Amino acid sequence: MAMLAGVLALSLVRPWGLVFPRWVPLVSGQRVPHRTLATTAFAVSVFLLGYTAWAAWQLAADFSDDGIFSPWIVVYGIPQFLVWGIGLFLAAWSYRARAAVSVSGRGVASR
């Protein structure tokens, strides 16, 4: 799952997120469906941000070593998911603008 999320994030910032590369069978050279990619990225970022809020709430409600979450989640888990969710949301927002330029014929896809 982490690898799929990483590929999703990279596809939002790399040129192959606009046009499938030559090595992809059956769809090489075709445009990537930008609405599908952006919608997926937005959905994953909302899920990550929701999970972060839930984890923070659970941690505050059950702050002990015997709880569902270790207190160490404050140090590494919550900030990591918060940055990942915000970053993915911003990348998806930027991708929408870049894909719109590409579709109009002035961007990477028209090369």
Side-chain angles (χ1 to χ4, degrees):
M1 292 301 283
M3 191 162 135
L4 289 175
V7 169
L8 173 64
L10 284 174
S11 67
L12 296 171
V13 297
R14 300 296 304 155
W16 49 267
L18 297 173
V19 176
F20 286 107
R22 283 179 275 167
W23 54 267
V24 178
L26 302 175
V27 292
S28 66
Q30 295 179 11
R31 285 189 207 160
V32 173
H34 67 276
R35 286 187 181 156
T36 304
L37 187 60
T39 302
T40 303
F42 281 125
V44 170
S45 69
V46 167
F47 172 77
L48 285 171
L49 292 171
Y51 178 77
T52 303
W54 177 79
W57 180 79
Q58 280 294 112
L59 183 67
D62 190 19
F63 190 76
S64 69
D65 285 335
D66 299 333
I68 189 170
F69 290 116
S70 166
W72 280 101
I73 196 108
V74 174
V75 175
Y76 68 90
I78 291 175
Q80 179 183 13
F81 278 112
L82 187 63
V83 168
W84 183 253
I86 292 170
L88 189 58
F89 183 86
L90 293 174
W93 190 268
S94 173
Y95 176 81
R96 281 181 1 129
R98 193 172 67 145
V101 169
S102 170
V103 169
S104 69
R106 294 174 293 180
V108 176
S110 62
R111 288 187 197 172

